[in-house]
Amino acid sequence: MVHVARPLLLLLAFFLRADAETPPRFTRTPVDQTGVSGGVASFICQATGDPRPKIVWNKKGKKVSNQRFEVIEFDDGSGSVLRIQPLRTPRDEAIYECVASNNVGEISVSTRLTVLREDQIPRGFPTIDMGPQLKVVERTRTATMLCAASGNPDPEITWFKDFLPVDTSNNNGRIKQLRSGIDFSPSSLSLLFNVLSMFVMS
């Protein structure tokens, strides 16, 4: 009786484990970008699955490997950011690919990077009019960081911390991103930090 039950239990455990495993699925995909030579580009890619997918970045079908190319992984392992700095034209202009894989499957998504020379920048291209400044604050104090940009159409401002995008929806209300209510011509955003420890950001 015992000899029969054990194989059945093992078989049942195998099927239960197989049912729990799921192939990768993208939760955030990189978007096409246009940058300026000497500037920076950041592509974001996140995926879910069981087991947790591994994220790999490719350029022209080969894994990225260059001192100017940095892959920064999210703390929760959900994905990574491909950061390229400084941008070079035309060598960095290419199709980049984010590949997410686990032992159940593999998926990929592509994005394009265009790099302009200074003399190619079109009218209305986004410019940062006021960037965030270095701040040192005391514990439990609130730090406000400002960023203003202009362009046509109005540019969208995205905040990064340690090269990873700031998630204002998952920080217990400590971080808030606000659009200025004052009628200035440039778009203006402020980032509020309810600091629990010494915090320095440049």
Side-chain angles (χ1 to χ4, degrees), residues 6-198:
R6 185 174 180 183
L8 288 175
L9 289 174
L10 291 174
L11 186 62
L12 179 61
F14 172 80
F15 281 115
L16 289 175
R17 181 180 177 185
D19 290 341
E21 293 182 343
T22 57
R25 177 179 61 84
F26 286 121
T27 57
R28 186 169 183 175
T29 56
V31 297
D32 295 349
Q33 291 190 39
T34 299
V36 179
S37 182
V40 59
S42 294
F43 294 101
I44 306 168
C45 188
Q46 292 176 280
T48 185
D50 187 13
R52 178 170 291 167
K54 178 182 178 182
I55 301 290
V56 175
W57 290 93
N58 294 331
K59 176 186 177 184
K60 298 179 180 179
K62 297 182 179 180
K63 186 177 180 180
V64 295
S65 58
N66 189 297
Q67 290 184 346
R68 294 183 299 107
F69 290 65
E70 183 179 7
V71 176
I72 305 100
E73 296 185 357
F74 285 85
D75 293 337
D76 60 3
S78 63
S80 63
V81 172
L82 173 62
R83 178 182 170 89
I84 309 172
Q85 184 184 30
L87 293 175
R88 294 287 182 260
T89 182
R91 70 179 70 174
D92 292 338
E93 289 194 323
I95 300 294
Y96 294 84
E97 183 183 36
C98 172
V99 181
S101 62
N102 60 16
N103 59 9
V104 185
E106 178 179 299
I107 55 175
S108 64
V109 62
S110 298
T111 187
R112 177 184 295 273
L113 174 61
T114 303
V115 184
L116 304 176
R117 301 190 308 269
E118 290 287 343
D119 60 346
Q120 295 177 315
I121 298 176
R123 180 184 294 271
F125 195 82
T127 59
I128 295 180
D129 303 316
M130 179 179 63
Q133 302 296 315
L134 177 66
K135 287 201 173 186
V136 179
V137 297
E138 297 179 6
R139 296 186 183 189
T140 72
R141 299 291 184 177
T142 297
T144 303
M145 310 199 76
L146 302 175
C147 179
S150 58
N152 188 18
D154 289 341
E156 178 183 347
I157 297 176
T158 303
W159 288 88
F160 285 75
K161 177 179 178 289
D162 297 331
F163 304 138
L164 292 173
V166 174
D167 185 1
T168 57
S169 64
N170 188 27
N171 56 76
N172 298 320
R174 290 184 56 247
I175 304 176
K176 297 179 181 179
Q177 180 171 299
L178 306 174
R179 181 174 295 275
S180 173
I182 305 175
D183 189 19
F184 288 115
S185 54
S187 301
S188 180
L189 294 175
S190 64
L191 194 62
L192 304 182
F193 293 87
N194 294 323
V195 183
L196 301 178
S197 61
M198 183 65 74

